[in-house]
Amino acid sequence: MSIDRKAAIAAYKERKTIAGIYVVRCAASGQAWVGQAPNLETIQNRIWFSLRQGAHPCRSLQAAWKAHGEAGLAFGECERLEDEESAYVRNALLKERLLHWRDELKAEVV
């Protein structure tokens, strides 16, 4: 294995993940769904994959996907959290901010 490859693998393992709150909106229906994620950079792929498979646990979001398709839904970030050393503190903050954004956007939690 080359030194460059080893360095790339090490950098990948040490990268910082950005936790936060996201929103999925349906322009046609006006509906919105909010959720929390330990990694905002990967959550959209996870959501879209489960929706494509017809397996997303949120029935109303899955129904919007079925009715309007991928082009009918938009993904956005509401808030990024500062890096927390403690997973407990990060998780508590995510829950608190999720409730704030749910109320602010009059959205359903996914």
Side-chain angles (χ1 to χ4, degrees):
M1 190 179 328
S2 73
I3 293 173
D4 289 343
R5 181 178 159 98
K6 285 182 180 177
I9 291 170
Y12 177 80
K13 288 181 179 177
E14 292 173 14
R15 75 195 185 292
K16 295 278 186 198
T17 58
I18 300 164
I21 308 301
Y22 64 87
V23 61
V24 177
R25 296 178 190 266
C26 178
S29 69
Q31 290 173 284
W33 299 266
V34 293
Q36 62 183 10
N39 188 349
L40 283 174
E41 294 178 359
T42 61
I43 193 65
Q44 182 180 0
N45 285 338
R46 184 180 306 159
I47 295 167
W48 264 221
F49 179 80
S50 65
L51 288 167
R52 280 188 203 107
Q53 302 303 311
H56 197 279
C58 178
R59 291 178 183 221
S60 61
L61 179 55
Q62 187 69 58
W65 178 275
K66 186 175 180 183
H68 307 290
E70 182 173 351
L73 298 180
F75 179 89
E77 292 182 10
C78 294
E79 180 175 357
R80 290 176 169 225
L81 298 185
E82 295 297 317
D83 191 29
E84 288 289 342
E85 294 299 318
S86 160
Y88 177 80
V89 171
R90 185 192 72 213
N91 292 339
L93 193 53
L94 278 170
K95 286 179 185 170
E96 176 188 314
R97 300 309 297 158
L98 178 65
L99 296 176
H100 164 80
W101 285 105
R102 179 198 64 190
D103 296 343
E104 181 81 16
L105 300 172
K106 296 176 179 44
E108 187 177 337
V109 174
V110 291

